[in-house]
Amino acid sequence: RLCGSIAPPAAFLPSRDGEGLVTNKQKNSMPARHDIERAILEALRHTTTDLNMQPRMSDCYSVTKLNFAGTRLDDTQIQKLANVLPHFSALRQLDLGYNQLTDVSASVLAVVLASNSTLTSLVLSGNDIGDAGVEALCTSLTTCTTLLSLSFRHSNTSTAAATCFAQMLLVNSTLKHLDLSLHNICDPGILQLGCAVKSKNLVSSEMFVLDGVRLARCWQELLLPPAAALYTNRFVTLHWRSLQEKVAAFVMGQHFRLGGCGMVWRGCVCCCDESG
C-alpha cells in the first residue's frame, strides 16, 4: 500500500487484461512517475483527514519530478501534500501551476522550502497567490540554498510583490532563474527588480536570468545602453554579464583591445608608464 490506511488507487492494481502495474511483487518493480502522481491525487481527493502516506523506498526513492499542473488542487490538498513531500528524498522538480492555490498554500510551501534540501525547480504559475503569499515565499527563499528556478507567471500580484522579490534576490545567492511573465508590475517595481538583477550579475560568478519583466522601460535608471528598448530581458542579463567579464578581462590585462595598456598591480589597473 502506498497511502497508509487509505485503500490503494486503481493505478497500483493489476488491470483485468493483465497490463496494470503490480507494485512490490514484480521483480525490480518501480512505479512510473505518472503512476505515483495519480496515486497521490487519488488519495488527496478521496480523503477527508490528513494524508498519512508511508511510501516504500522502492516506490519513491528515485522520483525526481512531480507534475500536478492543472489538477485543480486547493489549499486543503496542498497542506496534505506538504506532509508527504519529505518522503520523496530525491525530488528535484515540483510543478503546481494552474491550480486553485492562494496565499494559504504559499505559506505552506514556504515552510516546505525552508526545510528543503533537494528541490531545485518550483512552478507556481497561474494560481491566485497574492502579495501576502509572495512575501511568505520570499522570506523562506532568503535562507533556501537549493532552489535554482522559480516560475511565477500569470499570478495575482502587484508592485508590492516585485519589491519582495527584489529584496529576496539581493540576499539569495542560489536562485538563477525567476519567471514573472504576465504580471502587472509598474515601473517602480521594475526598477527595483532591475537593480537586484544587475547587482547579482555583476557580483555573482554565475548568471541570473529574469524573464517576463520589461527592464528596458527603466533603461536610463539602470544605466543600460540606448538600444536597451529593443533588448529582451535575457539579452539585458547577458549585457550585464558581458560587462562583468570585460571588466575582469581588463583588470587581468587579457581584453583583446585593452590587453596591452594595463597591468595588474596589487589588484589594481595601472598605466604602464615611467611614473608608475
Side-chain angles (χ1 to χ4, degrees):
R1 292 188 306 171
L2 179 70
C3 303
S5 60
I6 303 172
F12 282 82
L13 297 177
S15 60
R16 293 181 179 179
D17 57 7
E19 295 180 356
L21 179 65
V22 183
T23 60
N24 303 314
K25 291 185 179 181
Q26 295 176 339
K27 183 181 294 186
N28 298 325
S29 66
M30 186 170 296
R33 178 181 60 82
H34 64 276
D35 291 318
I36 292 180
E37 291 167 356
R38 286 202 300 265
I40 295 175
L41 288 173
E42 189 78 9
L44 288 173
R45 291 168 178 168
H46 293 85
T47 305
T48 57
T49 59
D50 289 342
L51 198 61
N52 181 25
M53 290 182 63
Q54 297 177 347
R56 301 175 186 271
M57 292 297 290
S58 60
D59 292 337
C60 304
Y61 180 75
S62 67
V63 175
T64 60
K65 181 178 180 180
L66 290 175
N67 185 357
F68 297 117
T71 53
R72 295 179 292 180
L73 293 179
D74 57 23
D75 293 335
T76 302
Q77 294 168 339
I78 287 297
Q79 178 65 70
K80 298 175 184 177
L81 177 63
N83 294 334
V84 302
L85 286 179
H87 291 293
F88 294 86
S89 58
L91 186 63
R92 299 290 184 271
Q93 302 177 48
L94 178 61
D95 191 342
L96 297 173
Y98 299 94
N99 284 291
Q100 301 170 8
L101 313 187
T102 67
D103 293 342
V104 176
S105 292
S107 299
V108 171
L109 293 172
V111 176
V112 173
L113 288 175
S115 59
N116 166 64
S117 61
T118 61
L119 196 65
T120 60
S121 176
L122 177 62
V123 178
L124 295 175
S125 303
N127 286 291
D128 294 325
I129 299 176
D131 296 339
V134 170
E135 183 178 0
L137 287 170
C138 288
T139 300
S140 178
L141 287 174
T142 56
T143 57
C144 180
T145 58
T146 57
L147 197 69
L148 301 177
S149 176
L150 175 61
S151 180
F152 215 78
R153 298 166 53 93
H154 199 223
S155 298
N156 185 27
T157 56
S158 65
T159 302
T163 301
C164 293
F165 279 121
Q167 294 174 348
M168 177 271 295
L169 292 177
L170 291 174
V171 179
N172 182 291
S173 59
T174 308
L175 194 67
K176 302 304 176 187
H177 180 261
L178 176 61
D179 190 347
L180 297 178
S181 304
L182 304 177
H183 279 257
N184 295 321
I185 301 177
C186 299
D187 288 354
I190 294 176
L191 180 58
Q192 293 182 64
L193 284 169
C195 290
V197 174
K198 184 176 181 179
S199 175
K200 286 181 71 71
N201 284 332
L202 293 180
V203 174
S204 176
S205 60
E206 298 184 24
M207 185 180 68
F208 175 84
V209 176
L210 175 68
D211 280 337
V213 180
R214 295 188 60 187
L215 297 177
R217 288 172 56 176
C218 300
W219 66 272
Q220 290 179 314
E221 294 85 349
L222 295 173
L223 302 179
L224 292 170
L230 303 177
Y231 291 174
T232 64
N233 296 319
R234 193 171 294 270
F235 282 132
V236 169
T237 300
L238 290 173
H239 166 79
W240 283 329
R241 182 65 176 155
S242 176
L243 176 61
Q244 178 194 18
E245 292 172 350
K246 289 178 181 177
V247 171
F250 177 79
V251 172
M252 298 302 294
Q254 297 173 351
H255 193 279
F256 71 99
R257 290 184 179 178
L258 306 175
C261 66
M263 67 177 182
V264 178
W265 180 71
R266 292 184 182 177
C268 301
V269 179
C270 305
C271 297
C272 296
D273 58 15
E274 296 180 357
S275 64

